[in-house]
Amino acid sequence: MLEQLKEIILNYVEIDSEAVKPEARFMEDLGFTSFDFMSMLGEIEDAFDIEIDQQKAADIRTVQEAVDYLEKLTA
């Protein structure tokens, strides 16, 4: 799941793939804007055929939190 998410993240921000670690924060560490983040969520929904709750998505700060949430949705 982490590797799949990493590939999607790299479509939105120009950073080295090594920077995408579980503890990395989307806004502060990876340089996401709110628009980038919401766009990425749309791509994740399509890629995994899931629906992300916008309220819960607003609480996701790190890559690991995103992975944990996606694993719950795809389980």
Side-chain angles (χ1 to χ4, degrees):
M1 180 70 70
L2 177 60
E3 288 305 312
Q4 292 169 292
L5 183 59
K6 187 185 282 194
E7 287 178 31
I8 293 172
I9 288 169
L10 292 173
N11 291 334
Y12 290 89
V13 288
E14 291 187 25
I15 55 171
D16 191 295
S17 64
E18 298 299 312
V20 184
K21 298 178 175 143
E23 67 275 8
R25 297 167 297 176
F26 285 100
M27 308 292 183
E28 297 88 339
D29 301 326
L30 302 179
F32 270 75
T33 64
S34 296
F35 181 76
D36 292 334
F37 189 72
M38 297 313 285
S39 298
M40 180 190 69
L41 293 180
E43 183 174 339
I44 290 170
E45 286 179 327
D46 292 342
F48 293 100
D49 195 30
I50 55 173
E51 191 167 323
I52 296 172
D53 181 291
Q54 297 302 316
Q55 296 285 349
K56 289 202 169 61
D59 293 333
I60 294 173
R61 300 278 179 259
T62 68
V63 173
Q64 187 61 52
E65 288 173 4
V67 168
D68 293 343
Y69 180 63
L70 292 173
E71 285 177 344
K72 284 181 198 166
L73 289 179
T74 57

